[in-house]
Amino acid sequence: MQKALVVGSTGLLGSRISRVLSDDYDVTCTHNKNSPLPGFQSFNLDLTNFDEIEKFFTRNDFDLVINCAGLTSVEACEIRPEAAWQLNATLPYHLAVLSKKFDARFIHVSTDHFQSDLNKPRDEKVAVWPINQYGYTKMAGEKFVLQFNESATVIRTNFFGLTVNGSHSLLDFLVSRLSKNEGITGFEDVHFSPLGVMTLVSVISEIAKRDFPGLINAAGNEAISKLEFARLVANLTKKDQSLVSAGSVSTLGGAVSRPNFLALDGSKLVSSLAIKLPSIESMLKIELQ
């Protein structure tokens, strides 16, 4: 059986991809501050220590490496830019270099958190640029991977799902507030095209099976606002839609600039894998089960 390494296995995506890959791979995981993923061989690696990571690669013989690690809090990246750079840019660089050196397939999960001139879903050729520290470091990570490992895959995406402890994701927040009949402000001026995490995991597992170098968007078929998304969650959880009121992202205040149109065009992915992606409503039903 081939061996796979999932870097950042304790997060929403990393934990799901580890479980799905275990059907076809001998999966090894890494963890840091969080407890290791139950049922898997997991190592507490210092992801900022290149020598330690290289020794770890030397002791193993991975066929596939998937990087799900990173500093994803936009606010934390502004406050701790050095940490953001280490985890979002330097780590992907090292993993890309080591994967190439040890002949392992490398998949790096990036973000849609970039600005562009278009207010319509953008494909992989559209020029985008960062407007905050999170975006700067994630874009640097993309460029490092593509420059130093020509066979690697960089996936731009946005995904939703429920975490184990119910405290980190957008869907966690919405479900928690709605379950308490607490009001929510849905941003009508922020649009995205997310995938349910289990759909994204299925996509990643398919990409891992084939030669798929370069940048690819993993996105849903629909570009919807955060307001529409929140109201859809309210409807599916049988909560009063009046709990969700329309608002603007500008009301967040603070010093961190954020792009407000994040939607991606996933046509290349759908065509390349010959797949049909479910609707956002269908994916939400799966994640809310």
Side-chain angles (χ1 to χ4, degrees):
M1 180 176 283
Q2 289 191 318
K3 296 181 65 176
L5 171 66
V6 178
V7 181
S9 65
T10 58
L12 175 59
L13 178 59
S15 60
R16 303 289 182 90
I17 191 66
S18 297
R19 293 188 178 97
V20 170
L21 286 179
S22 64
D23 291 336
D24 301 307
Y25 295 86
D26 176 9
V27 177
T28 298
C29 300
T30 74
H31 65 277
N32 193 354
K33 295 179 181 178
N34 296 328
S35 299
L37 191 64
F40 289 87
Q41 179 177 235
S42 187
F43 295 87
N44 188 355
L45 284 186
D46 178 358
L47 298 180
T48 66
N49 187 327
F50 175 62
D51 290 336
E52 183 178 337
I53 299 172
E54 183 167 26
K55 290 176 183 177
F56 183 70
F57 269 74
T58 303
R59 293 193 299 267
N60 293 277
D61 185 20
F62 299 117
D63 301 285
L64 171 67
V65 177
I66 300 180
N67 181 34
C68 300
L71 187 60
T72 59
S73 166
V74 175
E75 291 78 11
C77 288
E78 292 294 315
I79 297 170
R80 303 171 60 211
E82 297 87 356
W85 184 265
Q86 287 181 323
L87 290 174
N88 296 341
T90 306
L91 173 63
Y93 161 73
H94 288 320
L95 293 175
V97 169
L98 290 172
S99 294
K100 181 177 180 179
K101 179 179 179 179
F102 291 96
D103 197 27
R105 178 95 168 79
F106 183 51
I107 297 175
H108 172 63
V109 180
S110 187
T111 182
D112 61 355
H113 197 84
F114 305 120
Q115 186 76 286
S116 76
D117 287 329
L118 295 181
N119 281 334
K120 66 178 184 179
R122 60 255 182 138
D123 65 22
E124 293 82 358
K125 297 179 181 179
V126 171
V128 297
W129 56 89
I131 60 173
N132 53 38
Q133 286 296 325
Y134 174 64
Y136 279 115
T137 57
K138 291 297 287 186
M139 179 157 284
E142 288 188 1
K143 291 181 177 180
F144 286 150
V145 171
L146 295 174
Q147 180 178 351
F148 291 96
N149 189 330
E150 62 277 1
S151 66
T153 303
V154 172
I155 300 175
R156 281 186 185 159
T157 192
N158 193 318
F159 57 92
F160 58 85
L162 295 173
T163 62
V164 173
N165 58 15
S167 63
H168 297 296
S169 75
L170 171 62
L171 192 56
D172 286 327
F173 170 76
L174 294 175
V175 170
S176 175
R177 292 294 294 259
L178 290 168
S179 68
K180 300 172 187 174
N181 292 314
E182 296 177 348
I184 294 169
T185 299
F187 300 137
E188 56 187 343
D189 54 354
V190 178
H191 291 77
F192 67 151
S193 51
L195 291 177
V197 67
M198 289 311 298
T199 300
L200 178 57
V201 164
S202 177
V203 165
I204 293 174
S205 64
E206 285 301 312
I207 289 175
K209 295 175 183 177
R210 59 195 78 194
D211 185 20
F212 210 104
L215 177 66
I216 188 74
N217 292 337
N221 300 318
E222 306 152 85
I224 68 170
S225 69
K226 293 290 182 77
L227 171 64
E228 294 169 312
F229 186 82
R231 286 179 172 168
L232 188 53
V233 173
N235 181 57
L236 292 174
T237 55
K238 296 181 170 43
K239 292 297 181 178
D240 190 342
Q241 298 236 355
S242 66
L243 290 170
V244 183
S245 58
S248 170
V249 69
S250 63
T251 61
L252 277 178
V256 185
S257 299
R258 298 168 183 265
N260 62 0
F261 197 91
L262 309 173
L264 302 172
D265 182 342
S267 300
K268 178 181 174 182
L269 175 78
V270 170
S271 175
S272 299
L273 297 184
I275 59 174
K276 183 177 180 180
L277 293 172
S279 67
I280 290 179
E281 181 174 357
S282 297
M283 291 186 287
L284 269 171
K285 289 178 180 178
I286 293 172
E287 299 302 329
L288 290 170
Q289 288 178 350

